[in-house]
Amino acid sequence: LSQMGDKIRQLLSYQSELDSISNDHTVAFIQIDCRNIKQKMNMQIAKLAHLCTSHIEKRVALGGEQLDAFLTKIPETLTDMAVRSDSFRSHMLDVNEKVKCILKSLRNMVNFLETFDVDVDTMYIRGEDIQEFLEHAEHLWDNILTDAFRN
């Protein structure tokens, strides 16, 4: 994310530089109107920045959907399991670390998108906007984990 953020900031700085260039230039006795060139370059820079943020948006959506599917399926799976051994508890702790890592990564990506003024309020998973979903998912996972160790 940091490398992509650096690239987007670099693109935005190019855009600022481009905007600071005057629209008219005179070379010898020829006057050149640069508005069309500046406009096309600005459009290409905006497209590149959008490609970067769009990729992250897709990753958030996919990660959120996969996390939702996991959180929906796991309680049913745990209910079906009769024996809860020490290896089960160890495995659940490993899974806990991975789920916490996924939640953190999704939050980091959402924060990244907000940094570049991407409207994350339009991203929905299970009828909730992405911020609410991540909060709800963390609480749901904590409850699942508590239930798993209780039984």
Side-chain angles (χ1 to χ4, degrees):
L1 282 179
S2 66
Q3 288 178 344
M4 192 170 291
D6 291 344
K7 289 295 180 191
I8 293 172
R9 280 186 272 287
Q10 185 179 27
L11 288 169
L12 295 175
S13 75
Y14 292 156
Q15 211 167 28
S16 294
E17 255 182 74
L18 195 57
D19 289 341
S20 69
I21 296 172
S22 149
N23 287 333
D24 298 316
H25 286 282
T26 303
V27 176
F29 59 90
I30 300 172
Q31 186 152 0
I32 301 169
D33 182 0
C34 299
R35 281 180 286 196
N36 287 339
I37 294 168
K38 284 176 57 175
Q39 183 181 19
K40 288 182 186 202
M41 289 176 73
N42 268 327
M43 192 166 41
Q44 292 304 315
I45 290 169
K47 282 182 184 178
L48 286 171
H50 177 72
L51 278 173
C52 293
T53 57
S54 175
H55 175 73
I56 300 297
E57 282 181 271
K58 289 175 187 170
R59 297 284 306 211
V60 168
L62 179 62
E65 289 168 5
Q66 289 174 339
L67 181 61
D68 180 45
F70 172 75
L71 293 174
T72 302
K73 184 72 175 161
I74 194 71
E76 180 183 314
T77 304
L78 291 175
T79 303
D80 293 344
M81 294 179 69
V83 178
R84 307 272 168 101
S85 64
D86 287 339
S87 64
F88 166 81
R89 286 177 174 74
S90 174
H91 179 69
M92 285 303 291
L93 290 173
D94 291 342
V95 172
N96 180 46
E97 291 302 314
K98 289 182 174 121
V99 169
K100 297 286 184 182
C101 183
I102 290 167
L103 285 164
K104 182 179 179 186
S105 295
L106 289 171
R107 274 196 199 90
N108 287 343
M109 286 188 272
V110 168
N111 292 337
F112 174 88
L113 291 170
E114 287 176 327
T115 301
F116 293 104
D117 297 326
V118 174
D119 187 12
V120 296
D121 294 334
T122 60
M123 299 174 74
Y124 286 91
I125 297 179
R126 195 195 289 173
E128 300 174 301
D129 74 48
I130 191 67
Q131 299 280 20
E132 288 174 3
F133 169 77
L134 291 174
E135 241 179 75
H136 180 249
E138 185 169 9
H139 293 299
L140 180 59
W141 174 247
D142 288 341
N143 291 341
I144 290 168
L145 198 61
T146 301
D147 289 345
F149 282 113
R150 188 177 318 144
N151 296 331

